[in-house]
Amino acid sequence: MNALRTLLASLAASTAITASAQEGWLVAGQQGLVRFVIVPAAQASDASAYQREIARLCEPERTCFLNFYTNGSGATVAVPLPDAIAAEATATFRRSMKNGAERFRWSCRMKMAQAECF
């Protein structure tokens, strides 16, 4: 019985939405290489908070693609993202080891001072 509980707990943990304990950021899921991260509304425009999450989620010297969103409507988090969440993009982070490039971009809806947004 204990072995079954352990197995079920391990399966649940591997498929559950994961959260950054200190700040409430949620990794909603992944499609291909891209992970979808739900940002607490209070930190949506805090560049240093994004850098902490990028450091937590992306291994150094490894390709890493993150899309960040808020969830102001309180929609149920699932992948693919519900339209209500998909409409609240805040930023993207791309690190391609193949191309030797790294890029963080704000969503234009965030109105952050930046030469280029999406």
Side-chain angles (χ1 to χ4, degrees):
M1 188 69 163
N2 267 349
L4 179 59
R5 280 192 198 137
T6 302
L7 175 62
L8 290 174
S10 137
L11 288 172
S14 69
T15 59
I17 295 169
T18 58
S20 171
Q22 73 260 26
E23 303 195 29
W25 294 56
L26 299 174
V27 176
Q30 183 169 337
Q31 286 183 315
L33 292 176
V34 180
R35 283 182 280 173
F36 303 100
V37 182
I38 308 301
V39 179
Q43 296 178 328
S45 59
D46 181 349
S48 62
Y50 285 88
Q51 293 309 311
R52 284 190 301 273
E53 285 303 301
I54 291 166
R56 182 181 74 85
L57 294 170
C58 297
E59 295 178 45
E61 306 301 319
R62 301 285 310 253
T63 294
C64 185
F65 297 162
L66 304 172
N67 288 357
F68 296 96
Y69 304 85
T70 52
N71 184 8
S73 69
T76 300
V77 177
V79 174
L81 293 175
D83 291 343
I85 297 174
E88 294 186 30
T90 61
T92 62
F93 174 75
R94 301 288 185 263
R95 179 190 303 137
S96 171
M97 297 313 293
K98 178 180 177 180
N99 296 323
E102 185 172 294
R103 176 189 231 177
F104 179 88
R105 290 187 341 167
W106 291 104
S107 166
C108 297
R109 81 176 191 86
M110 298 301 292
K111 298 181 175 39
M112 299 296 285
Q114 181 176 316
E116 184 183 340
C117 60
F118 67 94

